[in-house]
Amino acid sequence: MEEFKSLEELTLMDEKHELMGRFCGSFPNIKGMHDYLSKEVLNEEVPDEIQGQFNVAKNMALYSYFFYALAPEVHLKTYTVIEHALRVKMKPKKTMMLKALINHAVAQRWISDAGFRHIDKPNSDNEWCKTMVTVIPSLRNCKAHGSTMLVGDCLHHISSCADFINQLFPRN
């Protein structure tokens, strides 16, 4: 990541980013974050109600530059957008919990390892997707039921959320 462009930019950024940057050697850049998030788009086939909530998550991620503590809330938002997208896709007749929804999506092969950009060598058995059946509900519950852990990276969550949802509603 780039160094600060100006003192003005430094004063706008949440001081926790500066502290973390001094520790890890890189600082966020608002323009870089905006450029990154601008490229995260959902397919036109994704229903408007999901598109809108995904855009809320993207805006929250951008605003985390100014308010570091918002990043964990972005994580939670991505999990809830995924859950909402699964419910819209499935239209279950009875209430299904997040774990069951993801398990169904994996079993139906609506999502696959190959559909996630960050996986360099996708497994044809969808091993990574199969782990999401337990991992996503666990992470969601951790955030939803209270956690003091602060995490700076929320951009990867936005990308993974986009990849997940775009697989549920593929381009025609």
Side-chain angles (χ1 to χ4, degrees), residues 118-134:
H118 71 278
I119 299 177
D120 292 329
K121 296 179 182 177
N123 182 301
S124 61
D125 290 334
N126 291 326
E127 293 302 320
W128 192 79
C129 287
K130 288 176 182 175
T131 65
M132 286 194 301
V133 172
T134 56

Side-chain angles (χ1 to χ4, degrees), residues 34-125:
H34 184 271
D35 291 347
Y36 181 95
L37 290 165
S38 295
K39 294 174 186 165
E40 295 302 325
V41 295
L42 297 180
N43 297 333
E44 290 180 14
E45 290 74 12
V46 176
D48 289 342
E49 63 190 287
I50 306 300
Q51 295 267 3
Q53 291 305 303
F54 180 73
N55 287 332
V56 168
K58 284 177 31 174
N59 285 317
M60 289 170 65
L62 184 60
Y63 195 78
S64 72
Y65 176 84
F66 304 105
F67 186 56
Y68 185 92
L70 196 55
E73 300 306 317
V74 174
H75 291 200
L76 178 59
K77 184 66 174 174
T78 61
Y79 305 139
T80 59
V81 173
I82 287 170
E83 183 173 9
H84 189 178
L86 284 164
R87 289 186 195 288
V88 168
K89 170 79 174 181
M90 286 180 58
K91 299 177 182 71
K93 295 187 185 339
K94 61 180 184 172
T95 302
M96 293 176 71
M97 296 294 136
L98 180 57
K99 184 175 183 176
L101 292 166
I102 296 171
N103 191 47
H104 185 78
V106 171
Q108 295 297 311
R109 300 188 73 81
W110 291 342
I111 58 171
S112 70
D113 290 6
F116 290 91
R117 292 170 281 169
H118 71 278
I119 299 177
D120 292 329
K121 296 179 182 177
N123 182 301
S124 61
D125 290 334

Side-chain angles (χ1 to χ4, degrees), residues 1-5 9 13 27-40 58 61-66 153 155-156 159:
M1 296 194 143
E2 297 177 10
E3 289 292 320
F4 298 113
K5 299 287 188 214
E9 187 176 14
M13 181 178 67
F27 299 89
N29 174 292
I30 189 71
K31 182 181 180 332
M33 289 174 72
H34 184 271
D35 291 347
Y36 181 95
L37 290 165
S38 295
K39 294 174 186 165
E40 295 302 325
K58 284 177 31 174
L62 184 60
Y63 195 78
S64 72
Y65 176 84
F66 304 105
D153 174 38
L155 301 182
H156 175 72
S159 299

